[in-house]
Every structure is written in C-alpha cells, then in structure tokens.
Amino acid sequence: MTTPTRFVAMISGEGSNLLALDDACRRGDLHGTIVGVISDRPDALGLERARERELHSESLPITRGETRSAHDARLLAAVSALEPDFVLLAGYMRILDAAFVQALEGRLLNIHPSLLPRFKGLHTHRRALNAADTEHGATVHFVTADLDGGPPVLQARIVVKTSDDELSLAARVRCCEHVIYPTVAEWCATGRLQYRNGNPILDGRRLESPVVQDLDF
Ligand code: GAR
C-alpha cells in the first residue's frame, strides 16, 4: 500500500475549505491526509474546527516587532517540520514572502474566489457584481511570487443571478470551492498534476489555460 499524500493546510478564517478537504480524505475520495493545519490567527474558527477533528493544528501569529521575512522563515520551518508533500492555502490571508514561496514552489497551491486573472486581491464578489459580470467563480492555482498570479489549474464557473448580492454570491462560490479544491488535491495525490519549469502539467500535458468546470450552485 502506498503511503497517503501528506497535505498541510494554511488558514486564517472559517476553514470551510479545510473541512471539505478533510471530508474528502475521510471519504476516501482524496488519497491523502491532512497532517497539519497552520493559522496566522489564533482565533480562527478553522483552527477550532481542526481541533474538533483532532487534526494537528498550530497557530503562528506574527509577533510584536517580528519582520515579515523572520515570520515567514518561522512559518516555513513549522510547515517543513510536518513533511508535507503539498501545502494548500485555504483562506490564508497573509501575503507570503518570496523565500517561502520559492521553497515550496510546485507544491504550494491556493484557492481564490474569482475567475483569475479577473479580480486578484480582495472583495472579489463585490467587484464581480459592480462590474455586472454574468459569470463568476473560483480558481485553484499554483502559488508563485506573483500574488494571485501563479498558473491556474482548475476553475469553477457559475452564472451570476440577477437576484445575487455579495453574500449569496460568496456562498455559492464557496460551495464551488469545496468541489474544486479536493479535486485538484486528488490530482496532486495521484500524480496526475505536476509542475515543471513554472508550468502545470495535467495527465502529461502542459495546461495552457485552466480546466473549467461549470457548476450549478
Ligand atoms: C475562500 O473563499 C477562499 O477562496 C478565500 O478565503 C475564503 C476562505 O474560506 N481566499 C482568499 O480570498 C485568498 N486570496 P474558508 O476559511 O471557509 O475556507
């Protein structure tokens, strides 16, 4: 029997993506295990949820007077100690420095609540509504030093309803995230997804653009 792929999840908030990933592991849909959950926020609801599931969890807030690079070096040490195969940013809201990203490049993924490259950064749902976009969604991408600009792998696309407000749109996008993040994690676990010279390779083929899944949430 092969050893399950080791995932570390990094969170700052509610941890719903973490739970979706962990659920997929427990169901056997994701051939891996969450070996640790790390948060920059000691009060993150996701940490509490991780503890309830008896997942190893740690909080590493930035300390008074600590520089970003010193903090990220400490973070990298904590992550590395867990010997992950892949590190999944699941609502981790601090920007990671180049040294952290480089050390894990090709094994570091993020989920972002928009159809990247549209709406990098914050308030993506509000911005999609303000722009009167008819489609919106979420993207799983490899992380590079270019914030929200690393190569995308899989996108979930939904139709924006005329009745949508920021809350309803956020909730539906969140449901999409819970589908596509475990999917990509499974591609990683089974070796279907690789990363070579800055490019995602899926089933042996370079992904020129992300796979797009239309979802009906
Ligand atoms: C998710 O919507 C995720 O896409 C977003 O934070 C939320 C975390 O939710 N991430 C970012 O905006 C990163 N730029 P969760 O804590 O319930 O998984």
Side-chain angles (χ1 to χ4, degrees):
M1 227 170 67
T2 51
T3 47
T5 301
R6 299 172 65 83
F7 294 104
V8 164
M10 292 173 56
I11 64 164
S12 300
E14 293 178 25
S16 70
N17 278 286
L18 159 70
L19 297 191
L21 289 159
D22 185 49
D23 285 343
C25 292
R26 288 170 198 251
R27 279 196 310 268
D29 294 342
L30 171 51
H31 293 86
T33 175
I34 309 282
V35 293
V37 179
I38 294 188
S39 176
D40 59 321
R41 298 187 53 119
D43 60 347
L45 176 59
L47 267 187
E48 202 177 308
R49 290 169 140 176
R51 281 188 221 108
E52 279 166 11
R53 290 181 176 218
E54 298 186 354
L55 296 172
H56 172 87
S57 61
E58 296 176 41
S59 85
L60 264 90
I62 192 152
T63 55
R64 213 187 156 102
E66 190 178 36
T67 62
R68 195 162 75 114
S69 65
H71 180 255
D72 284 5
R74 200 155 61 84
L75 191 60
L76 181 60
V79 169
S80 304
L82 297 166
E83 301 182 348
D85 296 303
F86 295 94
V87 178
L88 306 176
L89 303 182
Y92 189 76
M93 300 309 282
R94 281 191 68 256
I95 295 172
L96 294 158
D97 75 358
F100 184 97
V101 170
Q102 270 159 25
L104 293 168
E105 193 165 345
R107 300 191 295 132
L108 181 62
L109 292 115
N110 180 43
I111 189 149
H112 182 79
S114 77
L115 295 171
L116 288 171
R118 212 152 163 69
F119 309 130
K120 295 176 178 181
L122 300 174
H123 310 302
T124 55
H125 313 302
R126 190 184 312 165
R127 287 157 69 200
L129 289 169
N130 287 344
D133 282 7
T134 53
E135 292 174 337
H136 187 45
T139 305
V140 178
H141 65 97
F142 281 105
V143 176
T144 63
D146 178 13
L147 184 67
D148 296 331
V153 175
L154 178 59
Q155 292 188 319
R157 187 167 57 191
I158 53 169
V159 173
V160 179
K161 298 177 182 171
T162 48
S163 58
D164 265 324
D165 59 16
E166 203 176 332
L167 266 183
S168 67
L169 194 52
R172 291 195 298 115
V173 168
R174 200 72 65 92
C175 292
C176 294
E177 295 184 352
H178 301 164
V179 174
I180 61 171
Y181 218 176
T183 298
V184 173
E186 175 65 358
W187 290 350
C188 293
T190 52
R192 287 184 61 189
L193 179 65
Q194 296 180 347
Y195 184 87
R196 276 183 235 138
N197 305 321
N199 298 305
I201 314 283
L202 184 64
D203 296 331
R205 286 197 137 135
R206 180 177 160 183
L207 274 183
E208 305 287 345
S209 55
V211 177
V212 179
Q213 210 175 335
D214 285 305
L215 292 178
D216 194 19
F217 286 111

